[in-house]
Structure formats: structure tokens, C-alpha cells
Amino acid sequence: MRTHSWNSFILGVLAAALAGAAACSNGQAAPAPGTSASAPAVIVTQASAGTVESAIEVSGNLAPETRVDVHAKLPGTLDTVQVRLGDRVSQGAVLATLDRREIDAQVDAAAAAVNVARAALDAAEAGLANARQDAERASNLYDRGAMAKQRA
């Protein structure tokens, strides 16, 4: 049965039920056949095609099938967030970007620390070279008898 026919059928049944209820509600018996009686007043409406919607309301809590906690590999401040809570994402998708200024400052500080360590190594190597030369000179002077054993 099509929607239009179904709606017309329902309206017809309702109209007949209302007419019967109105006739019975006035407390009078139905007139005998062949006698005239006044017809009860009935509201008539033109039937039209439409859709019947049904819905069900339930209460409860929705929970995701899976939940994933996301943790940053690096500390820092977020610059942009690409997704919102509840969005679907695929593996490897960029969720957020970090503010590069903090990371760049950390890289610069590490590079400066490396340069300081290299300078300290160079100074230590120069000190070692001077100490070797002093030891060699003292040994030569001792061998020639120009320096006392306590100083060599």
C-alpha cells in the first residue's frame, strides 16, 4: 500500500470512529430504519499525502568503541590543533603542531653547549701540549746537569 492510500485509509477510519462516538455519546438510540433523523455534526478534513515519522527516545551514555590517549614525544607549547574532540583521524595524520620557537631555542642552547665543550677540550689539549714541552725541556736540562733532580 502506498503512503497516500495508507493516509487516506487512516483518515477514513478515524472519521468513522468519531461519527460513531458522537452518535453514541448523545444518549439517544439510533433511529429506526425508514425514519428520518438529523445527522450529527462531523468535522471533515481533506486528506493529503505526507510522511509518517516515528522516533524512539532512550536515555543512556554513549561510549566509543575504542579510545586512544595521545601523548607528545617532545615537550612544548601547541601552535595549532588540526582536529577537534570526536573527529575521525587516520594513522599518521597530523593532529597538532608545536611552537618551534621553544624547540629552536633548545637546539641553539645545545649547540652553544657543544661549542663551549669543544673550546674546553681545545684548551685542555693546549695545556697538555705545554706540559709535555715543559717536561721534555726539564728532562733535557736534567740530562745535561743544568737542573736539580727535585725540579725535573
Side-chain angles (χ1 to χ4, degrees):
M1 189 179 277
R2 293 186 345 196
T3 305
H4 178 66
S5 301
W6 181 251
N7 288 342
S8 299
F9 173 73
I10 289 175
L11 287 175
V13 170
L14 286 174
L18 287 174
C24 292
S25 68
N26 64 13
Q28 298 177 358
T35 62
S36 72
S38 63
V42 177
I43 299 173
V44 179
T45 303
Q46 179 72 28
S48 63
T51 59
V52 177
E53 293 184 29
S54 64
I56 184 169
E57 291 184 23
V58 294
S59 63
N61 295 326
L62 293 176
E65 186 176 320
T66 57
R67 185 176 194 105
V68 178
D69 290 330
V70 178
H71 301 284
K73 291 182 180 180
L74 300 171
T77 305
L78 290 179
D79 187 30
T80 61
V81 178
Q82 307 292 335
V83 295
R84 288 182 283 154
L85 185 62
D87 284 355
R88 262 187 185 270
V89 295
S90 59
Q91 183 176 357
V94 174
L95 305 180
T97 57
L98 291 176
D99 186 0
R100 299 253 339 147
R101 291 177 293 183
E102 274 186 57
I103 295 171
D104 290 342
Q106 290 173 356
V107 169
D108 291 344
V114 167
N115 288 336
V116 167
R118 283 189 179 142
L121 177 63
D122 291 344
E125 286 176 345
L128 176 63
N130 284 338
R132 283 187 178 151
Q133 283 180 352
D134 287 345
E136 187 178 328
R137 283 187 200 123
S139 178
N140 285 339
L141 289 173
Y142 174 74
D143 289 344
R144 291 186 189 152
M147 180 182 273
K149 190 170 187 177
Q150 288 89 4
R151 293 199 62 203

